[in-house]
Amino acid sequence: RIQILFEVDMINCCRHLIRRTLLPYHRRKHSKSLSVSTNYFNQIIKGDRATLSRAITLVESSHPTHKAQATQLMNHIMMHNKKSNTRTLRIGISGSPGTGKSTFIETFGLYLIEQGERVAVLAVDPSSHKSGGSLLADKTRMTELSAHRSAYIRPSPSRGELGGVARATSDSIQLCEANGYTVILVETVGVGQSEVAVSNMVDLFLLLLAPAGGDELQGIKKGIIEVADLLLITKSDGDLLPVARAAKTEYSRALRLLRNHDNPWQPFVLNISSVTGDGISDAWSEICNFKNVMLETGHYDKRRSIQQIKWFWSHVQSELLEEFGKDEKVRELKRNLESSVRNGVMSPAAAASCLISQFMSR
């Protein structure tokens, strides 16, 4: 009987110990996750830039704990932005290397600040396919803009994302808007068929083109031209001015072939010079006209709603791929299937079906 009473006391003691240690730990862990997102949210809406940077780092992280905190934070941010109903302007900027994207962004950003705007620049840098690293040197090319109080520049690695747009960029845009920035500029890594990804997260897509870059009519074949809302011929000064004007004429003619009757706004071409500042005010004037037209016709909210759905499915695909890669049986089978495909024993399509079947049967 004494032994039984002793065992009962031991069991009760263990239960008490579990309640005192493990349960508070889980509560602390959950409350810490909530406190991080709540603290970040409170500081961001107050305009704290340091917290904004930490929050963007949080949404870019792939750590499971950080992802949970980022999800909670973004729910707060989206509700705040919806209630505030601030009509911000999101502008995507793309162009071939050498068109002067960074120079234009600095000149354009400083002009916007003079007009009373607060400007955030989200610059996506290309990541190395070998090392995975990025230079993130955009701040060094925008020295004057990066030092201004009304500007915020955040370089982010593309990490091989299609379109050169980091997956967390759409969340970063909303974080910047909650922080009080009225114009968000999203610079992509370059031009290509995949660069249209940026058009799925901005209100206006701006394409920079260099004069004397080749046959302008060949540019009509690029899908990026088809989604551009405004085309700017850069370096329209000095000896290149006649060539830039000729390029404007050629592109204007070509754009007539791509008229979108469902869109109330029809894109056109302007000449600008980031060095002299010529055409910068005209470009901003047309961008404001674009915003007014989209607001009056209801396309402003409609476009953003469609973009949210697209990014919802983008996150679904990313999460599925992540879960797919974590599955132990899938990873074991993958090595054997890769060997079979490499040796020509099995076709890539058959190997893919086999791998997916394994994942679905778990």
Side-chain angles (χ1 to χ4, degrees):
R1 184 175 179 183
I2 292 173
Q3 184 178 359
I4 292 173
L5 290 173
F6 176 75
E7 290 177 353
V8 169
D9 287 339
M10 287 296 293
I11 292 171
N12 291 333
C13 182
C14 289
R15 286 176 177 172
H16 180 70
L17 185 64
I18 289 171
R19 292 194 191 100
R20 290 287 302 272
T21 57
L22 295 181
L23 291 179
Y25 168 75
H26 287 293
R27 290 195 188 104
R28 286 198 304 270
K29 188 175 180 181
H30 181 65
S31 63
K32 183 180 179 182
S33 177
L34 288 173
S35 64
V36 168
S37 59
T38 303
N39 181 54
Y40 277 15
F41 171 72
N42 292 332
Q43 293 300 317
I44 285 171
I45 62 175
K46 290 178 182 177
D48 188 80
R49 287 161 56 106
T51 306
L52 173 62
S53 296
R54 288 194 289 268
I56 293 177
T57 301
L58 184 70
V59 299
E60 289 178 346
S61 174
S62 58
H63 191 280
T65 302
H66 295 166
K67 288 176 70 174
Q69 294 170 347
T71 301
Q72 294 169 356
L73 173 62
M74 290 313 302
N75 284 335
H76 294 317
I77 291 294
M78 288 189 66
M79 291 301 295
H80 169 78
N81 289 348
K82 186 175 181 180
K83 288 180 180 178
S84 61
N85 197 28
T86 305
R87 296 298 187 178
T88 57
L89 189 58
R90 306 168 182 174
I91 303 175
I93 300 175
S94 189
S96 301
T99 54
K101 293 191 296 294
S102 297
T103 307
F104 167 75
I105 288 173
E106 179 163 51
T107 303
F108 186 55
L110 291 171
Y111 175 81
L112 294 181
I113 291 173
E114 290 178 0
Q115 307 306 308
E117 305 288 346
R118 295 190 70 214
V119 181
V121 180
L122 302 176
V124 184
D125 268 10
S127 297
S128 170
H129 290 285
K130 292 184 178 180
S131 65
S134 299
L135 290 177
L136 304 179
D138 292 271
K139 282 191 175 182
T140 63
R141 295 194 294 266
M142 308 177 196
T143 52
E144 192 175 350
L145 183 63
S146 61
H148 206 288
R149 288 186 176 182
S150 296
Y152 175 79
I153 301 177
R154 170 71 182 212
S156 298
S158 66
R159 296 176 182 174
E161 290 285 336
L162 185 66
V165 180
R167 188 175 64 178
T169 304
S170 57
D171 291 339
S172 300
I173 290 173
Q174 298 196 53
L175 287 169
C176 290
E177 290 173 340
N179 199 239
Y181 292 97
T182 56
V183 179
I184 317 297
L185 305 179
V186 182
E187 180 194 3
T188 59
V189 298
V191 164
Q193 289 288 343
S194 62
E195 285 299 305
V196 296
V198 71
S199 66
N200 290 326
M201 64 172 69
V202 296
D203 303 313
L204 179 139
F205 184 64
L206 198 61
L207 179 60
L208 303 186
L209 300 164
D215 185 1
E216 280 74 18
L217 292 178
Q218 285 296 103
I220 209 68
K221 295 180 180 178
K222 297 179 181 178
I224 195 169
I225 298 286
E226 299 174 349
V227 297
D229 297 299
L230 187 62
L231 279 67
L232 300 181
I233 308 296
T234 60
K235 305 180 182 180
S236 301
D237 52 51
D239 296 336
L240 287 175
L241 184 56
V243 182
R245 288 174 176 169
K248 175 187 174 182
T249 303
E250 293 294 334
Y251 272 111
S252 297
R253 291 173 180 172
L255 282 175
R256 294 172 189 170
L257 302 174
L258 295 175
R259 292 182 66 86
N260 185 356
H261 298 286
D262 296 329
N263 193 336
W265 176 266
Q266 296 304 325
F268 58 94
V269 192
L270 289 176
N271 287 112
I272 64 160
S273 171
S274 301
V275 176
T276 64
D278 292 339
I280 297 297
S281 60
D282 294 334
W284 176 238
S285 177
E286 292 303 328
I287 289 172
C288 291
N289 290 338
F290 168 87
K291 182 180 179 180
N292 292 333
V293 169
M294 300 301 276
L295 283 170
E296 291 171 1
T297 58
H299 279 70
Y300 177 94
D301 294 318
K302 182 180 178 182
R303 178 179 283 195
R304 288 198 174 186
S305 298
I306 293 172
Q307 290 171 353
Q308 287 294 98
I309 296 298
K310 288 182 178 180
W311 282 98
F312 158 66
W313 283 110
S314 175
H315 280 285
V316 169
Q317 292 173 9
S318 298
E319 292 295 330
L320 284 175
L321 283 174
E322 190 172 329
E323 290 298 317
F324 190 78
K326 289 179 181 178
D327 193 279
E328 290 292 338
K329 292 183 178 180
V330 167
R331 284 193 288 188
E332 292 176 5
L333 181 60
K334 184 180 74 170
R335 287 189 288 268
N336 296 329
L337 291 174
E338 284 178 347
S339 178
S340 298
V341 172
R342 190 182 302 112
N343 296 326
V345 178
M346 183 181 289
S347 69
S353 297
C354 184
L355 200 63
I356 292 171
S357 297
Q358 173 63 50
F359 179 73
M360 297 296 291
S361 63
R362 65 175 186 171

